[in-house]
Amino acid sequence: MSAPAVGYVGADVPVELITAAGLLPLRLAGKPGEDSTPGDRYLGRGVDPVARSILTRILTGGYGPLEAIVVSRDCEASLRLFYALRELHRVEPERRLPPVRLVDVLHLPHHTTTRYVQAKIAQLREWLGRWRPIGDDELAAAITAHDTLRRSLGRVAALRRANRLNGTRFLEVVAATTALPVTAATALVERVLAAGSPEVEGVRLFLTGSSHDDPAVYEALERNGFLVAGEDHDWGELLFARTCAAPTELALAERYQHNGPAAPRASIRQRAAHTAAAAHACGAEVLFSYARVHDDAPPWDFPEQRAATGLRAVLAERQPYGELTAEALAALGAAG
């Protein structure tokens, strides 16, 4: 019998706690092209379309039965989503939405920040304990299992850097692991690694800017002669690049505190340094910043990212969710 699912929003949610409580962590993704009218009603159309799509799918049962929902404060849109869900519990109890919890992870490099994050993790641990109390042994086992998965995904990233996997397939594999029990996710990744793949070709592109919970933009890029060799959003390598130093609550807090740097929460300088190092590591020839409509952070990062990488660079602003405009492709074609 499968474990009840807890939907979560954002890479700042400590999924290890959900696993340790005997539940399935299910990362909630939007669905480009799907009517988001129900979500628009409560969030308005001025919010990131990903959040509006996720709320729509929650309201319409698109994720199947959810035992609970945990939302991270990773960006303004996620916070708006949490407030909408909390208010719906109050004003429309007849909907019988699952209980919702916010987890606030800060990313400042201070000991006081570590204590704050650990306190928030302890509160979430206690809250999830209503399903099954989370002892230290259960937590340690969950941390170890998720770190094993992260290391396996690191080997998939190395396969892509060796031109044995394209970006679309890479993103699909990573996304699949966020919807499976951790042991099943690791087994899936190991099968991908064992299967091998032929060499892939294309102009090596590093993708920065908005996150991608759907492979459509990757597919469009790779149909047009590019190879997405790396990215710095949290559905890609940022999701698994850091492991825990030890199987403890403190180490878990430090892992999430220092994870990133993601566009909505990190400084411009941090983002530029990370992008430059990651683009160099994957042998990128072109830097492409994809800024989704109502995602205002990426354009602020772009000038310093372009300078730090020294690559031919293109910024595509106000892109539709899950799409790449003809103008953006034309600009990339000129750069590539």
Side-chain angles (χ1 to χ4, degrees), residues 148-170:
T148 298
L149 172 59
R150 291 180 185 115
R151 293 187 183 98
S152 292
L153 285 170
R155 292 165 58 203
V156 176
L159 201 65
R160 178 172 60 164
R161 286 193 291 272
N163 288 353
R164 295 294 177 180
L165 198 71
N166 66 24
T168 301
R169 180 60 178 149
F170 170 80

Side-chain angles (χ1 to χ4, degrees), residues 4-305:
V6 171
Y8 70 97
V9 178
D12 279 349
V13 173
V15 292
E16 295 86 348
L17 295 177
I18 300 173
T19 295
L23 302 164
L24 167 65
L26 173 65
R27 190 168 186 184
L28 303 185
K31 193 169 183 179
E34 187 177 69
D35 177 34
S36 63
T37 300
D40 296 347
R41 176 186 175 192
Y42 296 102
L43 288 174
R45 295 187 59 83
V47 175
D48 189 331
V50 175
R52 289 152 41 202
S53 180
I54 290 173
L55 180 56
T56 295
R57 301 189 75 198
I58 291 171
L59 296 175
T60 59
Y63 302 111
L66 296 175
E67 194 75 7
I69 298 171
V70 182
V71 181
S72 68
R73 192 181 178 180
D74 61 336
C75 64
E76 181 64 24
S78 294
L79 189 60
R80 294 274 293 273
L81 172 63
F82 167 74
Y83 287 145
L85 287 168
R86 188 177 66 176
E87 189 67 2
L88 280 166
H89 270 281
R90 187 182 70 84
V91 300
E92 298 184 21
E94 66 277 7
R95 285 186 178 275
R96 299 186 181 277
L97 292 173
V100 60
R101 179 83 181 188
L102 181 72
V103 59
D104 184 19
V105 172
L106 302 181
H107 297 281
L108 297 172
H110 308 308
H111 293 303
T112 52
T113 303
T114 306
R115 290 197 294 271
Y116 176 86
V117 174
Q118 187 175 5
K120 296 301 177 184
I121 284 177
Q123 290 168 5
L124 179 60
R125 179 178 179 176
E126 181 180 5
W127 187 76
L128 289 167
R130 67 175 69 180
W131 284 273
R132 187 178 81 182
I134 303 173
D136 289 344
D137 289 345
E138 290 82 8
L139 179 59
I143 290 172
T144 300
H146 280 277
D147 274 352
T148 298
L149 172 59
R150 291 180 185 115
R151 293 187 183 98
S152 292
L153 285 170
R155 292 165 58 203
V156 176
L159 201 65
R160 178 172 60 164
R161 286 193 291 272
N163 288 353
R164 295 294 177 180
L165 198 71
N166 66 24
T168 301
R169 180 60 178 149
F170 170 80
L171 194 70
E172 290 171 343
V173 171
V174 176
T177 67
T178 68
L180 292 170
V182 62
T183 52
T186 303
L188 168 67
V189 174
E190 292 300 324
R191 289 195 298 272
V192 171
L193 290 166
S197 57
E199 187 169 353
V200 294
E201 296 181 350
V203 177
R204 299 181 71 80
L205 177 147
F206 189 87
L207 184 61
T208 187
S210 301
S211 63
H212 296 266
D213 60 1
D214 180 274
V217 171
Y218 279 57
E219 291 170 350
L221 290 167
E222 295 187 332
R223 280 197 309 269
N224 284 272
F226 294 93
L227 178 64
V228 183
E231 68 284 302
D232 57 10
H233 63 80
D234 64 15
W235 280 85
E237 293 196 39
L238 277 188
L239 182 64
F240 57 82
R242 185 179 292 273
T243 57
C244 291
T248 64
E249 185 180 274
L250 174 60
L252 187 65
E254 291 173 333
R255 189 262 168 198
Y256 282 91
Q257 173 193 358
H258 296 294
N259 200 39
R265 302 291 293 270
S267 72
I268 291 174
R269 182 175 296 179
Q270 286 174 315
R271 286 282 293 169
H274 175 82
T275 299
H280 175 75
C282 71
E285 303 165 76
V286 176
L287 174 69
F288 180 47
S289 180
Y290 175 98
R292 189 170 50 244
V293 61
H294 301 311
D295 185 2
D296 299 327
W300 290 95
D301 292 332
F302 179 70
E304 197 153 336
Q305 288 174 315

